[in-house]
Amino acid sequence: MSTKNIKKSSDGEAPKKRKISAVSILHYYKLIFRSILFILAIIWYVYNRYNDITINIHNSIDVTINMNWAVLVIDIIYIIEMMLRLFPSKLESPGCQKQFKGNYKPTGETDVVLHDNHAVVIVALIWIVLNGIIGALYMTDVIDEGILWLVCLLYGICDMICILFFCPFQTWFLKNKCCASCRIYNWDFAMMFTPLFFIPGIMTWSLLALAMVIMIRWEITVWLYPERFSENTNQYLACANCSEKLCVHKKQLISFRKSLISYADATIKRILQR
């Protein structure tokens, strides 16, 4: 009877396979759901454009009714999600939960380390300029309200991609180790609904207002209780206490990408040598 060699860890025990966490699974569900919502919105938009219906809720009663139903569904979905963000939850990422007092676990250190405050200003300015350009296109009638809604929904998908796969803010600007230590985690909804600033109305501005409340509350908490946001003072942010473990999946994806690149390079070299 043959015995398979089992690679053991430094403590003599066989390494355990990491199962995807409940929080991570929920992120994947959100990605799928937001993608479906985006696709349905595109179909709705193309249908209206094909039938020469102006996507502007101020122009016609019939369009207003159609627009309101679509907007109302999106409103309800995201208002519920944002309301839940205002309270502690085990089904949310530690990245947004570190603001709550119950998740502050003192390390004994008093030196609060937040390296990315300058980068936060840069990110904010870039986002304002980007959406300013989109707003200018809308104000000059290059795009309509339907496109602004599609941009919002696309931002929602990009938000989940940042969490699950690759985050340009983390890699290029903030340099934080992971989502758990992200300085701007709760900016997500405010960033998502920024284009709605250009569409006055109860449904649009209610979404943006609630998103801004979440962001402002976050920033006030950072200012009043910075120790909650620093890994040096809050052991809740330590890798050992992380309930998300998204970094494991990201590292696997990076390793897989490097393997594909190496394989492609080797294949190209073999072809050129023939």
Side-chain angles (χ1 to χ4, degrees), residues 64-98:
T64 301
I65 293 173
N66 293 333
M67 183 74 173
N68 283 352
W69 274 110
V71 172
L72 182 60
V73 171
I74 297 172
D75 260 33
I76 292 173
I77 290 170
Y78 281 108
I79 283 178
I80 291 174
E81 190 172 346
M82 285 191 286
M83 289 297 292
L84 293 175
R85 183 68 68 84
L86 293 171
F87 305 96
S89 172
K90 293 183 178 180
L91 292 178
E92 281 283 6
S93 168
C96 67
Q97 293 295 294
K98 59 178 175 279

Side-chain angles (χ1 to χ4, degrees), residues 9 11 155 169 206 225 255:
S9 59
D11 59 1
Y155 282 165
F169 301 114
S206 63
Y225 308 103
S255 178

Side-chain angles (χ1 to χ4, degrees), residues 194-260:
T194 302
L196 298 184
F197 172 80
F198 302 100
I199 312 177
I202 295 177
M203 290 184 290
T204 51
W205 281 8
S206 63
L207 275 178
L208 184 58
L210 183 53
M212 292 303 298
V213 166
I214 293 173
M215 178 181 173
I216 292 171
R217 176 188 177 182
W218 173 270
E219 288 302 309
I220 291 175
T221 307
V222 173
W223 184 64
L224 293 177
Y225 308 103
E227 65 276 5
R228 299 180 188 178
F229 297 80
S230 172
E231 185 180 357
N232 195 51
T233 52
N234 188 5
Q235 61 182 349
Y236 175 74
L237 302 179
C239 294
N241 298 320
C242 180
S243 60
E244 200 167 23
K245 305 300 181 186
L246 275 176
C247 60
V248 176
H249 309 303
K250 284 187 176 180
K251 288 177 181 177
Q252 290 172 344
L253 289 171
I254 292 172
S255 178
F256 179 66
R257 178 176 59 83
K258 289 181 178 179
S259 298
L260 285 179

Side-chain angles (χ1 to χ4, degrees), residues 22-247:
V23 177
S24 297
I25 291 174
L26 186 58
H27 288 326
Y28 279 104
Y29 276 129
K30 285 182 180 180
L31 175 61
I32 294 171
F33 176 78
R34 291 182 181 185
S35 298
I36 292 173
L37 191 63
F38 179 61
I39 292 171
L40 291 176
I42 290 177
I43 294 172
W44 170 83
Y45 177 79
V46 172
Y47 171 80
N48 281 280
R49 296 296 294 180
Y50 180 77
N51 289 280
D52 294 324
I53 300 175
T54 303
I55 310 301
N56 189 319
I57 63 174
H58 305 294
N59 285 350
S60 124
I61 296 177
D62 292 333
V63 174
T64 301
I65 293 173
N66 293 333
M67 183 74 173
N68 283 352
W69 274 110
V71 172
L72 182 60
V73 171
I74 297 172
D75 260 33
I76 292 173
I77 290 170
Y78 281 108
I79 283 178
I80 291 174
E81 190 172 346
M82 285 191 286
M83 289 297 292
L84 293 175
R85 183 68 68 84
L86 293 171
F87 305 96
S89 172
K90 293 183 178 180
L91 292 178
E92 281 283 6
S93 168
C96 67
Q97 293 295 294
K98 59 178 175 279
Q99 63 176 314
F100 297 111
K101 181 179 179 181
N103 291 326
Y104 175 53
K105 313 295 181 185
T107 60
E109 298 289 337
T110 57
D111 186 18
V112 176
V113 181
L114 296 174
H115 298 293
D116 45 17
N117 281 329
H118 294 296
V120 167
V121 177
I122 295 175
V123 170
L125 290 175
I126 290 174
W127 197 254
I128 290 171
V129 171
L130 171 62
N131 287 278
I133 293 172
I134 294 173
L137 293 175
Y138 170 69
M139 299 300 289
T140 54
D141 295 325
V142 175
I143 60 176
D144 57 23
E145 292 184 12
I147 293 294
L148 291 184
W149 275 105
L150 290 177
V151 170
C152 291
L153 296 177
L154 180 61
Y155 282 165
I157 295 174
C158 292
D159 176 46
M160 301 317 301
I161 290 175
C162 286
I163 293 174
L164 291 169
F165 306 115
F166 172 76
C167 178
F169 301 114
Q170 173 190 358
T171 305
W172 299 333
F173 301 103
L174 301 175
K175 309 296 183 180
N176 49 290
K177 67 168 187 176
C178 64
C179 291
S181 58
C182 180
R183 168 65 177 76
I184 62 171
Y185 197 105
N186 263 21
W187 286 24
D188 54 348
F189 287 114
M191 297 174 83
M192 187 187 309
F193 297 123
T194 302
L196 298 184
F197 172 80
F198 302 100
I199 312 177
I202 295 177
M203 290 184 290
T204 51
W205 281 8
S206 63
L207 275 178
L208 184 58
L210 183 53
M212 292 303 298
V213 166
I214 293 173
M215 178 181 173
I216 292 171
R217 176 188 177 182
W218 173 270
E219 288 302 309
I220 291 175
T221 307
V222 173
W223 184 64
L224 293 177
Y225 308 103
E227 65 276 5
R228 299 180 188 178
F229 297 80
S230 172
E231 185 180 357
N232 195 51
T233 52
N234 188 5
Q235 61 182 349
Y236 175 74
L237 302 179
C239 294
N241 298 320
C242 180
S243 60
E244 200 167 23
K245 305 300 181 186
L246 275 176
C247 60

